[in-house]
Amino acid sequence: MNIVVCVKYVPDATADRRFESDNTVDRDGVDGLLSELDEYAVEQALQIREKREGEEIKVTALCVGPDKAVAAVRKALQMGADEGVHINDDAIAGSDAIATSLVLAKAVEKIGVPDLVMCGMASTDAGMSVVPAMLAERLGLPQVTLAAVVETQGDQVRIKRDGDTATEVIGAQMPLVLSVTDQTGEARYPSFKGIMAAKKKPLETLTLGDLGVDASEVGLSVSWSEVADTAARPPRTAGEIVKDEDGSGATALTEFLASKKFI
Amino acid sequence: MSEVLVLVDHVDGAIRKPTLELLAIAKRLGSPSAVFIGGSDQASGAAEKLKAFGAEKIYAVDDAEIKGYLVVPKVEVLQQLAEKASPAAILVVSSGEGKEIAGRLAIRLKSGLITDAVDVADDGTTTQSVFAGNYTVQAKVTQGTPIIAVKPNAAAPVEEAGAGAVEEFAATISDDAKKAQIVASQPRQSTGRPELTEAAIVVSGGRGTGGDFESVENLADALGAAVGASRAAVDSGWKPHTFQVGQTGKVVSPQLYVANGISGAIQHRAGMQTSKTIVAVNKDEEAPIFELVDFGVVGDLHAVLPAATEQINARK
Ligand SMILES: Cc1cc2nc3c(=O)[nH]c(=O)nc-3n(C[C@H](O)[C@H](O)[C@H](O)COP(=O)(O)OP(=O)(O)OC[C@H]3O[C@@H](n4cnc5c(N)ncnc54)[C@H](O)[C@@H]3O)c2cc1C
Ligand SMILES: Nc1ncnc2c1ncn2[C@@H]1O[C@H](COP(=O)(O)O)[C@@H](O)[C@H]1O
C-alpha cells in the first residue's frame, strides 16, 4: 500500500508573520517548520502502517516549497515516514491553492498510484482548507475530510467527524484523499533513533520539469485571484481592567455590558 | 442583470441563517438565484423563505438520488447550473463543506476562489481576515466565475421579497460523485441556544472553569448568548468539540465575546480575535487574554459570573 502525506512548510505561528511588498506571505524572513496540523496527518499515516503490520506499506512525505521547506520533509522522515519528496522550483513562488494543488497532484502521480493521500485539516498560514478537495478533484478521487477518528480495513476507510449539525461516520473505498484534524490524537516526537535513521532515508528533490508542469501554469502571475491590499489590524486600544474585590468585579462587569447596550 | 448562484445551506429543509446573509450579498452583485438541493417535499417551504429574503429565482434540485453522498454531487449540480446560467458569481457558506464544494468547483470551472470572506463589496472585492486576525486582506477573483465562500455574520439578512420563481432542475450526477458516503449520522441535540458561529454574543469557558460550566452557561443565558470553550476544556471532555473556539475549532466574530478562565493562547485567539468587543474574567492578571480585552476582571470566575448574572437578570 502506498500512502502519500502532504506536509507543508509554514512560517512559525508564534513568530511575527507578515506579508511581502507583493502581498505574498513572507516565507524567508520568518523561521518556518512543518505545519503543526500536518503532523497529525503524518501520525495517522504511521499508525495505519503500524496497525497493518505484515503488509507492505510505504509512507512518502511530500512537500511543495522553497529550499528551506525541506525541513518539513525531514521532520516527517524523523517521525517515521519512509521516503521524502520535495518539489522545489523558483517558478512556484507565490502560487495559490489552485496552482499548489496542481503541483501536488502531478507529484502524487509521479510518486506512483497511491491508495491514500493524506493531508492536514488546514495549513496554519493561509489556512484555506481547500487543497485536499482540489487535490482530490485533480486526481479524480473521492475525498473524506476533517476526520476526528480514522479506521481502515482492507481497502475501506471509515472516519468519524464532528460536522456542523451532526456527528457523522463516513465511509469510502481507497484510493482517496483523507484529511485529519487535531482530534485524531497527539503526534509523536522524533526519537533519537528516528533522527539518525532519517539521514539515510531517500529524499528526492524535483523541479517542475521533472513533473511535466510548465512554469506558466504556476506562480503568482497566473493566480486566479488577486490580493489588492493587506493591512495590519490596528492594535486594540488598551482596555479597562479591574480587580474583583468583594463583588466589585461583577458590578463593574455588569455596568460595562450595560454601557455597551448588551443588556 | 446576471444571476448570482447561492448554494442553500439547510437541515431537512430548514434554511440556516448564513444562507439568508448570502442572499443579501448576492443582491449587491446581481440577481440572487438560490440553489436548493433537498427533498422535493421540503422545496416549497424552503422556497417561501428564500423568496422572502430576496431570491429572484430558486432552482429546486431533488436530492433523492444523491442524499448522503458527500460534496461531489453538489459540485456537479453547481457546475451544470453555472454552465446554464453563466452567473456573475457563486456564493457558498464558508464552512468545512462549503469550502470543499467551492474548491472542487473552482478547478472544474477554471475559476478563482476566495474563502473565509468577511465582506463582499458591490464590485466583488472581498475582505478576509488572516494570520489569526492580525491582518485584513482585500482580494478579487480575476479569472472565470468568482466563487466566494462567505463566513457567517458577514452581512445582515434583508427581508425584502424577490420574485421567488421556482424552477426544477434535474442535474446529471456521475457515478464517481457517489464514492464517499455518510454511513451513520447522529444529529446534534439542540442546546436551545444560538449557533456558535452565528451568535451575536458568545460566552466561553476554559480550563479555569475546572469543568464546572454552570456559571458560564447561566451568564450566556442571561445575555442570550452561545456557549463556547477552549481546547483545554474540550480535551478534558467538559464540552464536545463543536463548542471549541480557535484555530482548530470554530472561528467566531460576534459583537461580544466573553472569555472566562481562558489564558488566551494564540490558537484560541485565532478563533475570536476579530470579535467587536472582548471581555475576560481571569484570576491571573498576567494572562495574555487581557492584552486583547476592552474590559477585564481579575478575579475568580466562580464568584464573578454568578454575581454578574444575578445583576443582569435583575436589570432586565
Ligand atoms: C495544533 C493546535 C491547535 C490548537 N487549537 C486550539 C483551538 O482551536 N482552540 C483553543 O482554545 N486552543 C487550541 N489549542 C490549545 C492552546 O494552545 C491552549 O493550550 C488552550 O487554548 C488553553 O486553554 P485554556 O486557556 O482554557 O487553558 P489554560 O491555558 O490552562 O488557561 C486557563 C486559565 O484559567 C485561569 N483560571 C484558572 N482558574 C480560574 C478561576 N477560578 N477563575 C478565573 N480564571 C481562572 C488561569 O489563570 C488561566 O489563565 C491548540 C493547540 C495546538 C498545538
Ligand atoms: N505546499 C504544500 N506542500 C505540501 N502539502 C500542502 C501544501 N499546501 C497545502 N498542503 C496540504 O493541504 C492541507 C490543507 O492546506 P490549505 O488548503 O492550504 O489549508 C495541508 O494541511 C497540507 O496537508
Side-chain angles (χ1 to χ4, degrees):
Chain A
M1 182 158 106
N2 272 319
I3 303 178
V4 177
V5 191
C6 299
V7 292
K8 188 174 183 184
Y9 177 80
V10 297
D12 189 345
T14 53
D16 190 16
R17 294 177 292 184
R18 53 182 174 250
F19 286 96
E20 303 259 30
S21 54
D22 64 354
N23 288 328
T24 60
V25 177
D26 177 357
R27 291 185 193 279
D28 280 326
V30 180
D31 274 338
L33 72 182
L34 163 60
S35 172
E36 220 164 18
L37 295 176
D38 293 349
E39 288 185 13
Y40 296 94
V42 176
E43 175 63 34
Q44 287 305 306
L46 298 176
Q47 286 192 19
I48 290 171
R49 193 184 64 193
E50 283 154 10
K51 280 184 200 147
R52 299 174 64 135
E53 218 196 327
E55 285 178 57
E56 199 168 305
I57 297 177
K58 186 171 81 180
V59 176
T60 306
L62 167 64
C63 177
V64 175
D67 292 347
K68 280 184 174 180
V70 74
V73 184
R74 287 235 168 81
K75 174 89 185 270
L77 292 175
Q78 291 171 353
M79 289 173 71
D82 301 296
E83 294 184 8
V85 176
H86 176 203
I87 313 297
N88 185 359
D89 197 308
D90 287 345
I92 299 172
S95 290
D96 58 5
I98 290 174
T100 303
S101 66
L102 172 70
V103 179
L104 283 170
K106 293 289 183 187
V108 168
E109 281 165 0
K110 171 103 183 168
I111 291 167
V113 184
D115 300 279
L116 277 177
V117 179
M118 297 180 61
C119 292
M121 62 183 285
S123 45
T124 51
D125 50 351
M128 290 174 77
S129 259
V130 292
V131 166
M134 288 182 171
L135 191 51
E137 179 64 34
R138 292 194 183 274
L139 293 169
L141 297 178
Q143 88 208 57
V144 173
T145 51
L146 304 177
V149 179
V150 178
E151 276 164 20
T152 72
Q153 193 165 46
D155 64 355
Q156 296 297 315
V157 177
R158 280 249 189 298
I159 68 148
K160 205 164 133 189
R161 72 173 182 191
D162 281 321
D164 251 2
T165 53
T167 302
E168 300 165 328
V169 177
I170 292 157
Q173 193 179 3
M174 295 180 205
L176 55 81
V177 175
L178 170 65
S179 81
V180 307
T181 70
D182 58 334
Q183 290 174 275
T184 48
E186 282 311 303
R188 69 195 65 189
Y189 288 104
S191 64
F192 180 68
K193 220 175 108 198
I195 294 171
M196 297 312 288
K199 294 186 175 156
K200 299 199 194 77
K201 290 177 178 171
L203 198 172
E204 200 175 7
T205 306
L206 302 176
T207 61
L208 288 179
D210 298 322
L211 302 180
V213 175
D214 197 89
S216 67
E217 295 175 83
V218 297
L220 184 60
S221 56
V222 293
S223 196
W224 292 354
S225 56
E226 187 175 272
V227 174
D229 190 29
T230 60
R233 189 172 48 80
R236 293 191 91 95
T237 42
E240 185 191 352
I241 295 174
V242 302
K243 277 207 173 103
D244 178 44
E245 269 149 28
D246 305 323
S248 64
T251 307
L253 174 58
T254 309
E255 253 145 41
F256 174 80
L257 294 176
S259 75
K260 294 278 180 183
K261 310 236 173 338
F262 288 118
I263 304 174
Chain B
M1 201 166 27
S2 294
E3 291 179 47
V4 175
L5 299 182
V6 169
L7 179 63
V8 176
D9 183 17
H10 68 98
V11 180
D12 296 329
I15 315 281
R16 301 178 71 206
K17 181 166 158 261
T19 298
L20 307 179
E21 298 163 8
L22 291 188
L23 288 172
I25 289 173
K27 219 178 290 182
R28 300 177 193 162
L29 306 172
S31 168
S33 293
V35 181
F36 179 82
I37 305 175
S40 51
D41 55 327
Q42 300 160 354
S44 68
E48 221 167 281
K49 178 117 186 193
L50 294 165
K51 176 182 172 168
F53 283 85
E56 295 295 336
K57 202 186 259 184
I58 294 137
Y59 294 107
V61 183
D62 183 6
D63 73 349
E65 206 201 318
I66 53 177
K67 201 171 157 66
Y69 295 104
L70 294 178
V71 185
V72 190
K74 290 180 181 165
V75 173
E76 295 191 344
V77 168
L78 287 175
Q79 180 187 10
Q80 288 161 32
L81 273 171
E83 279 157 8
K84 176 179 125 92
S86 308
I90 301 173
L91 306 181
V92 301
V93 177
S94 200
S95 58
E97 186 190 42
K99 290 203 277 189
E100 289 173 11
I101 291 170
R104 278 187 177 256
L105 191 62
I107 304 276
R108 288 197 187 201
L109 296 178
K110 294 202 174 5
S111 292
L113 160 69
I114 285 168
T115 62
D116 302 291
V118 294
D119 198 10
V120 185
D122 295 353
D123 68 348
T125 300
T126 61
T127 307
Q128 292 158 290
S129 158
V130 301
F131 289 165
N134 285 328
Y135 277 83
T136 340
V137 169
Q138 310 256 306
K140 205 172 170 180
V141 169
T142 50
Q143 175 172 316
T145 308
I147 302 170
I148 307 174
V150 184
K151 295 185 70 148
N153 282 336
V158 180
E159 196 161 2
E160 202 179 274
V166 178
E167 185 178 321
E168 303 216 348
F169 183 75
T172 321
I173 306 299
S174 70
D175 288 340
D176 273 353
K178 299 182 192 165
K179 284 191 165 162
Q181 193 177 11
I182 299 173
V183 189
S185 176
Q186 175 98 51
R188 186 139 307 111
Q189 269 181 347
S190 165
T191 56
R193 298 193 179 96
E195 283 257 4
L196 194 49
T197 49
E198 299 171 10
I201 302 179
V202 174
V203 179
S204 286
R207 201 193 313 270
T209 61
D212 181 1
F213 261 71
E214 197 185 329
S215 55
V216 170
E217 286 169 348
N218 288 342
L219 176 62
D221 291 342
L223 293 169
V227 173
S230 72
R231 181 165 121 173
V234 170
D235 284 351
S236 304
W238 302 336
K239 283 285 160 201
H241 177 72
T242 42
F243 283 69
Q244 185 176 316
V245 171
Q247 183 190 27
T248 55
K250 301 258 157 59
V251 177
V252 300
S253 200
Q255 296 298 315
L256 170 66
Y257 187 85
V258 187
N260 304 289
I262 293 176
S263 62
I266 180 149
Q267 295 93 347
H268 188 78
R269 290 179 179 210
M272 44 69 73
Q273 190 148 238
T274 56
S275 305
K276 268 256 168 59
T277 301
I278 297 175
V279 169
V281 178
N282 195 304
K283 69 178 182 191
D284 173 12
E285 62 183 313
E286 304 282 310
I289 190 82
F290 284 129
E291 293 162 16
L292 290 185
V293 298
D294 298 287
F295 188 81
V297 179
V298 180
D300 184 345
L301 70 93
H302 295 296
V304 176
L305 300 193
T309 304
E310 201 173 300
Q311 293 183 26
I312 291 165
N313 285 334
R315 279 184 186 230
K316 282 197 288 197

